[in-house]
Amino acid sequence: MIIGASGQIGTELCSYLRDKYGSHKVIASDIREGDDDLMEAGPFEIVDAMDAEAIEDVVIRYEITDVYMMAAMLSATGEKFPMKAWNLNMTSLFNVLKLAKEGKIEKLFWPSSIAVFGPSTPKHDTPQQTIMEPTTVYGISKQTGERWCEYYHRKYGVDVRSLRYPGLISYKTPPGGGTTDYAVDIYHKALKHGRYVSFLKEGTALPMMFMDDAIRATVDLMEAPAEKIKVRSAYNLSAMSFAPEEIAESIKAHIPDFSIEYEPDFRQEIADSWPSSIDDSEARNDWGWQHEYSLADMTAEIIKNLKIRNA
Ligand code: SER
């Protein structure tokens, strides 16, 4: 069961798992319907991630073993609605931790984020274990969630697994409310208008990853034998790091006239509080994580596919 299946990660996770295990084996759910492909490909249930009973009902009805809890309010929107973000991000997690504790599901995936880090964290090659003083509500909810995941594992033997996703770049489903999402929008604007106004300034390097890599990491982590999972809070996960001018350069290789301007807003402060690169050697050592896509590969793939789609 995927909760938040209509969202940016959920949509692609759902289609990956359906290709792998068969459409009827993967139950998509969300508070709203997803795109046509998602809705037509297999079972879908309207479920509010805040509604424990509704989740349990689907779990029992479909004999769910594994749950991916992908519903969340992201960093930039969270700063506008702090209590709403806190309530959604924590209640949704507790709803599924409880089901796992009661033995109603076997395995749980819950995403964490680079937002667990803050301004006092070492900025370059941020290690797995380090100072974590997040300044956003989103980051506070993810860091707290990590602590609870580890607690439920240690205390109740819950098989919960988690990744600290970097900024995730996709072109199939639009993202919503993240600080790293400029790096999604830029491709659409490059193709449509040949220019982009970035809400982050030049030199703001952040850890990023192509969605295909993130989905593969998620499913690989969930399929790894339990004894290989040594981190039960959340694993650092990394692929590439870039600043706005670097993604702009990679786009120029395909659209030579493309131009970028900078008009930083409140999201600059959020970005400045996060690491610029991540050391994910524990994920690589423990369960064999390896990324595939570089910035150049990702840009080529996205531009090729958006051109086909827009044609
Ligand atoms: N990409 C997310 C955000 O920017 C971080 O997890 O909010």
Side-chain angles (χ1 to χ4, degrees):
M1 177 182 188
I2 300 172
I3 301 170
S6 305
Q8 188 201 8
I9 308 172
T11 302
E12 293 197 38
L13 178 63
C14 199
S15 87
Y16 184 93
L17 288 172
R18 282 178 167 163
D19 285 346
K20 191 162 181 161
Y21 293 113
S23 310
H24 63 290
K25 297 261 188 198
V26 180
I27 313 306
S29 72
D30 202 292
I31 197 162
R32 60 183 167 91
E33 290 194 352
D35 60 28
D36 291 346
D37 288 347
L38 177 84
M39 301 305 292
E40 284 157 17
F44 182 93
E45 297 281 338
I46 292 281
V47 168
D48 179 351
M50 303 274 282
D51 185 343
E53 270 177 42
I55 298 173
E56 184 164 348
D57 176 61
V58 174
V59 162
I60 307 287
R61 231 171 343 114
Y62 289 93
E63 298 176 19
I64 301 292
T65 54
D66 299 3
V67 170
Y68 293 77
M69 170 50 82
M70 311 308 283
M73 194 185 287
L74 296 194
S75 61
T77 315
E79 291 311 287
K80 293 185 181 152
F81 308 102
M83 287 321 293
K84 219 171 157 184
W86 173 255
N87 288 334
L88 170 63
N89 295 358
M90 299 317 297
T91 306
S92 56
L93 172 60
F94 279 122
N95 284 346
V96 286
L97 280 175
K98 181 172 174 280
L99 286 176
K101 181 188 167 196
E102 292 168 351
K104 291 175 179 152
I105 56 172
E106 290 168 17
K107 229 187 267 180
L108 172 61
F109 179 83
W110 174 79
S112 185
S113 158
I114 52 163
V116 295
F117 301 117
S120 54
T121 303
K123 227 176 164 44
H124 304 288
D125 288 330
T126 303
Q128 176 69 39
Q129 287 175 310
T130 185
I131 300 169
M132 293 161 85
E133 296 181 318
T135 49
T136 62
V137 174
Y138 174 69
I140 297 169
S141 74
K142 288 295 178 188
Q143 195 206 19
T144 311
E146 284 192 10
R147 297 289 87 225
W148 279 108
C149 286
E150 198 188 273
Y151 185 87
Y152 268 67
H153 175 72
R154 196 162 36 81
K155 250 339 230 208
Y156 311 121
V158 164
D159 191 354
V160 54
R161 305 174 181 204
S162 179
L163 298 169
R164 289 174 184 151
Y165 287 136
L168 299 185
I169 320 297
S170 64
Y171 63 89
K172 292 181 184 158
T173 314
T179 302
T180 55
D181 292 343
Y182 86 87
V184 176
D185 201 28
I186 194 169
Y187 289 110
H188 296 276
K189 297 279 164 45
L191 284 164
K192 218 170 164 188
H193 309 300
R195 66 186 280 270
Y196 183 66
V197 181
S198 170
F199 58 74
L200 297 183
K201 64 183 185 205
E202 237 177 317
T204 312
L206 288 168
M208 300 279 193
M209 181 179 286
F210 187 43
M211 187 61 85
D212 289 35
D213 271 341
I215 300 295
R216 202 166 42 78
T218 305
V219 177
D220 283 358
L221 175 73
M222 283 295 267
E223 289 180 347
E227 64 274 10
K228 292 209 165 174
I229 313 299
K230 305 211 171 82
V231 174
R232 292 295 184 157
S233 50
Y235 276 100
N236 277 10
L237 188 74
S238 153
M240 59 181 105
S241 285
F242 58 77
E245 69 276 16
E246 292 170 290
I247 187 172
E249 276 307 310
S250 83
I251 291 173
K252 271 191 203 163
H254 302 265
I255 308 171
D257 291 339
F258 176 66
S259 68
I260 184 166
E261 287 154 64
Y262 303 92
E263 278 177 26
D265 65 15
F266 74 102
R267 290 169 281 194
Q268 184 66 43
E269 197 182 329
I270 301 178
D272 287 341
S273 78
W274 290 349
S276 55
S277 60
I278 297 285
D279 177 351
D280 63 352
S281 43
E282 299 207 22
R284 289 174 195 263
N285 293 335
D286 288 0
W287 46 277
W289 162 242
Q290 273 182 313
H291 72 277
E292 274 175 17
Y293 284 85
S294 67
L295 174 57
D297 302 334
M298 176 176 80
T299 296
E301 182 72 12
I302 294 179
I303 290 190
K304 181 181 84 188
N305 281 287
L306 286 180
K307 275 185 178 164
I308 296 169
R309 186 189 282 191
N310 296 344

